[in-house]
Amino acid sequence: WSGGFAGMKGVKVITDKTADLMKSIKSLTTNQLLVGIPSDKAKRKDGDDAIDNAGLGFIHEYGSPLQNIPARPSLIPGVKKVSDQCADIIAKGAADAILGGSAALDKAFTKAGLIAQASVRATLTAGEGFEPLAQSTLDARERIGAKGTKPLIRTGQIRNSFTFVVRRRG
């Protein structure tokens, strides 16, 4: 260690990891894991610029009574399913970072993000608890040759746009 031990006889500093420790602590307190549809993943591939995937994700998460669209949440339930697991991974990464450098914490954030992303996508795909599609929606799908009957799965664009980022707070 540097500083307090400098004047002590018989103490020899072999490796000073103070900088790594401080970097790990700063990373843990300033970084946050965000799961959702970031703006760079929001553009629709079908060229429809009227609304992007983030807007559609919001509408489907909360519903739109004015448009007769029921809520079919996948983001919040998907993250809740794995929140304890992700918190444990980040806590272990923080402990490992104190012992071995800040890279362990970066890896933990990435691992937790991938788990949360997969859970949200799986929740959307499963569609458990989703209100079935209206007959008018099924008829519209049939007119364009789409055969699926699961809500939110016609093209997979919304599901595939869910991802994660690790960002600095503020």
Side-chain angles (χ1 to χ4, degrees):
W1 294 92
S2 60
F5 295 117
M8 294 181 66
K9 288 186 176 192
V11 175
K12 184 176 181 182
V13 175
I14 296 173
T15 305
D16 183 354
K17 295 191 176 187
T18 307
D20 280 345
L21 174 62
M22 297 310 292
K23 185 177 177 185
S24 297
I25 291 170
K26 184 175 182 181
S27 180
L28 184 60
T29 60
T30 61
N31 286 342
Q32 58 185 340
L33 175 61
L34 305 172
V35 181
I37 303 174
S39 59
D40 64 337
K41 296 275 187 178
K43 188 163 178 59
R44 300 283 299 165
K45 292 180 182 171
D46 55 14
D48 183 3
D49 290 330
I51 190 164
D52 64 15
N53 287 324
L56 289 171
F58 181 87
I59 289 169
H60 291 301
E61 189 76 17
Y62 296 101
S64 175
L66 290 175
Q67 298 297 320
N68 217 14
I69 299 172
R72 294 183 175 111
S74 59
L75 177 61
I76 294 170
V79 170
K80 279 185 179 179
K81 286 179 190 175
V82 295
S83 63
D84 289 344
Q85 180 184 3
C86 291
D88 290 346
I89 289 167
I90 292 170
K92 184 179 182 326
D96 290 347
I98 289 170
L99 299 173
S102 60
L105 186 56
D106 294 340
K107 288 179 184 178
F109 271 117
T110 299
K111 183 176 180 179
L114 289 169
I115 288 169
Q117 171 186 298
S119 179
V120 170
R121 290 179 179 187
T123 300
L124 189 147
T125 301
E128 294 171 5
F130 286 1
E131 189 171 312
L133 294 174
Q135 187 59 49
S136 59
T137 303
L138 294 170
D139 293 343
R141 282 186 176 191
E142 190 175 315
R143 282 193 298 276
I144 63 169
K147 299 180 194 251
T149 60
K150 284 181 108 178
L152 310 180
I153 302 292
R154 188 173 65 81
T155 67
Q157 288 187 61
I158 295 172
R159 178 190 57 218
N160 295 340
S161 64
F162 280 107
T163 189
F164 74 95
V165 294
V166 178
R167 286 208 183 127
R168 294 184 72 85
R169 294 180 200 271

